[in-house]
């Protein structure tokens, strides 16, 4: 009789491409869940939004998807690669590109 | 008295030649051809081979190999804007020439590229969207006829792909699995794996196809009876 193994769920935190809204850049942090078999074959995946970082000229702020304010440290802890986005925004403020 | 005999000989030769031609064409249309190919892509390197055979006789076989240097250049050119957008180094933007002079230079380059592309395209023209939409049902029926006339003896595909955006990767994965289910290819060894780490396209593809040329040729002739298809072809060739 064929044995049925339990499926593994692998979670990854990823950042979506920036969405432009007037002068704001919106960065959505999503969690990607992969459903894998014992043979490491992916049988399903789903994406859930977690938080959002908004870069508005000199202002940068974040909030969780349920509408709660989110400290910057918390969103950076959630998605460390956002630090690069923030550094880049700071860099853009300093250098005026035509 | 000799003149009619020469004519008769010529007539016989012509009849024999045309009969031989018809027989050869009929044989080509009736005998089953077998095309088998396998291809694998790992990073920038593409490797594979193909074989065309008929009646267990190999007609043509060869290898598919990509030039890694060209691929690398193509990759780096494609990735350049993404790198700039990510903003790993903002100073680089100014260096590359995103100022006014840079944009003018890029404009001239793009015009030259357009001209080169037009030269490369040759006599093939882009058809009008309206006539493309008109011909879509006829094209779909042609595609259906072609697919029915081809028999997949073996099909296996394992693809690992990723787009820039994880959400778009997930959506694309959903589309691909939907297409597989619509085509009813459950039994075929087809597997798509989404990769959420960025741009990626790796995988293996192997297939063995058997077909008699008679049915695809018949399907093409049948579709050419449709006025919309003829109009589309004329537009593509540039006769319209």
């Amino acid at each position: 009789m064929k044995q049925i193994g339990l499926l593994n769920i692998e979670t990854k935190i990823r950042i979506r491409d920036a969405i432009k809204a007037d002068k704001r850049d919106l960065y959505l942090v999503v969690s990607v869940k992969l459903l894998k078999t014992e043979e490491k074959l992916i049988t399903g995946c789903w994406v859930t939004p977690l938080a959002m970082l908004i870069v508005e000229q000199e202002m940068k702020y974040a909030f969780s998807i349920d509408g709660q304010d989110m400290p910057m440290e918390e969103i950076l802890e959630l998605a460390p690669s956002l630090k690069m986005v923030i550094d880049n925004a700071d860099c853009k403020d300093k250098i005026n590109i035509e | 008295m000799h003149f009619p005999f020469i004519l008769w000989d010529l007539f016989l030769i012509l009849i024999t030649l045309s009969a031989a031609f018809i027989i050869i064409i009929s044989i080509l249309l009736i005998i089953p051809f077998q095309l088998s190919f396998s291809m694998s892509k790992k990073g920038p390197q593409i490797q594979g081979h193909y074989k065309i055979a008929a009646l267990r006789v190999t007609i043509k076989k060869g290898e598919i190999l990509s030039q890694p240097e060209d691929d690398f250049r193509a990759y780096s050119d494609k990735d350049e804007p993404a790198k700039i957008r990510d903003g790993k180094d903002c100073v680089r933007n100014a260096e590359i020439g995103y100022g006014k002079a840079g944009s003018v230079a890029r404009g001239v380059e793009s015009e030259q590229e357009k001209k080169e592309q037009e030269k490369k395209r040759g006599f093939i023209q882009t058809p009008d969207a309206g006539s493309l939409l008109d011909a879509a049902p006829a094209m779909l029926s042609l595609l259906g006829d072609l697919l029915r006339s081809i028999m997949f003896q073996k099909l296996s595909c394992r693809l690992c792909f990723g787009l820039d955006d994880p959400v778009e990767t997930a959506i694309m994965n959903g589309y691909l699995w939907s297409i597989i289910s619509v085509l009813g290819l459950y039994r075929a060894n087809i597997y798509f794996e989404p990769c959420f780490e960025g741009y990626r396209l790796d995988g293996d593809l192997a297939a063995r196809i058997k077909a008699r040329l008679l049915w695809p040729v018949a399907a093409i002739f049948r579709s050419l009876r449709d006025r919309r298809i003829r109009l589309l072809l004329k537009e593509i060739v540039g006769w319209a």
Side-chain angles (χ1 to χ4, degrees):
Chain A
M1 190 178 163
K2 194 185 174 186
Q3 285 188 337
I4 300 167
L6 284 172
L7 297 171
N8 303 313
I9 294 176
E10 196 181 300
T11 308
K12 291 173 179 181
I13 304 291
R14 292 283 176 269
I15 306 160
R16 279 208 71 176
D17 271 358
I19 303 165
K20 280 258 176 213
D22 196 17
K23 287 173 183 173
R24 297 178 192 90
D25 282 337
L26 283 72
Y27 294 90
L28 191 67
V29 181
V30 294
S31 113
V32 181
K33 285 191 167 67
L34 301 167
L35 196 65
K36 287 187 173 179
T37 61
E38 280 181 339
E39 295 85 33
K40 302 285 176 197
L41 293 176
I42 298 170
T43 53
C45 70
W46 61 99
V47 182
T48 321
L50 294 177
M52 194 182 276
L53 170 78
I54 297 170
V55 179
E56 189 178 350
Q57 290 178 338
E58 288 175 5
M59 278 183 8
K60 291 156 208 82
Y61 49 94
F63 58 86
S64 68
I65 213 71
D66 55 10
Q68 301 283 319
D69 277 346
M70 202 175 198
M72 217 50 146
E73 293 79 28
E74 206 174 313
I75 200 167
L76 283 175
E77 198 179 317
L78 191 68
S81 51
L82 273 176
K83 194 173 186 317
M84 205 173 70
V85 173
I86 294 165
D87 290 347
N88 180 37
D90 290 340
C91 189
K92 265 184 188 167
D93 289 338
K94 283 172 195 166
I95 301 167
N96 191 15
I97 302 161
E98 279 186 59
Chain B
M1 285 296 282
H2 286 282
F3 187 64
F5 278 111
I6 291 167
L7 264 182
W8 179 246
D9 286 350
L10 271 173
F11 180 69
L12 274 180
I13 289 164
L14 272 175
I15 288 284
T16 318
L17 280 175
S18 49
F21 181 73
I22 288 166
I23 288 166
I24 289 166
I25 293 289
S26 307
I27 288 168
L28 281 177
L29 288 174
I30 290 166
I31 59 163
F33 281 88
Q34 205 176 53
L35 167 71
S36 53
F37 70 91
S38 72
M39 211 162 74
S40 76
K41 184 180 182 296
K42 276 175 192 161
Q45 201 173 17
I46 301 171
Q47 275 186 331
H49 61 84
Y50 68 93
K51 192 173 96 174
I52 302 167
L55 300 171
R56 295 188 182 181
V57 178
T58 305
I59 298 167
K60 192 173 169 62
K61 67 175 179 180
E63 288 197 354
I64 306 161
L65 279 170
S66 75
Q67 299 292 327
E69 289 158 1
D70 290 353
D71 275 7
F72 176 73
R73 208 177 300 137
Y75 260 73
S76 57
D77 287 351
K78 209 188 284 175
D79 288 349
E80 200 63 53
K83 276 181 195 167
I84 293 160
R85 191 182 49 204
D86 286 349
K88 282 180 184 168
D89 189 359
C90 291
V91 183
R92 199 175 151 75
N93 287 358
E95 282 173 5
I96 288 166
Y98 266 63
K100 279 177 187 171
S103 61
V104 169
R106 283 167 71 86
V108 173
E109 275 176 19
S110 65
E111 274 178 22
Q112 281 176 347
E113 276 172 15
K114 272 182 192 172
K115 279 178 188 173
E116 276 174 18
Q117 276 177 355
E118 276 171 15
K119 271 183 193 173
K120 275 181 194 172
R121 223 179 285 154
F123 69 95
I124 293 172
Q125 310 281 322
T126 312
D128 183 42
S131 52
L132 199 66
L133 278 174
D134 280 347
M139 277 166 66
L140 279 176
S141 75
L142 168 67
L143 194 70
D145 286 346
L146 286 176
L147 280 175
R148 270 192 293 274
S149 63
I150 292 167
M151 200 170 78
F152 284 95
Q153 288 183 321
K154 181 189 151 193
L155 178 65
S156 77
C157 172
R158 193 186 170 90
L159 199 69
C160 178
F161 72 96
L163 301 173
D164 196 21
D165 192 342
V167 176
E168 279 174 17
T169 307
I171 291 169
M172 183 58 77
N173 189 43
Y175 282 147
L176 288 172
W177 280 112
S178 309
I179 291 165
I180 291 301
S181 75
V182 166
L183 293 175
L185 293 168
Y186 292 118
R187 272 181 275 174
N189 186 16
I190 293 176
Y191 178 69
F192 295 120
E193 186 183 328
C195 169
F196 295 95
E197 319 300 329
Y199 277 118
R200 192 176 164 191
L201 183 65
D202 287 339
D204 306 297
L205 174 70
R208 197 164 62 224
I209 301 163
K210 193 178 172 184
R212 283 190 166 88
L213 286 180
L214 180 68
W215 306 120
V217 169
I220 289 165
F221 274 108
R222 206 180 307 136
S223 74
L224 283 174
R225 282 166 59 197
D226 197 312
R227 193 183 59 83
R228 293 165 296 184
I229 292 265
R230 287 200 305 270
L231 194 70
L232 184 75
L233 278 175
K234 276 182 186 172
E235 277 187 18
I236 289 170
V237 178
W239 291 347

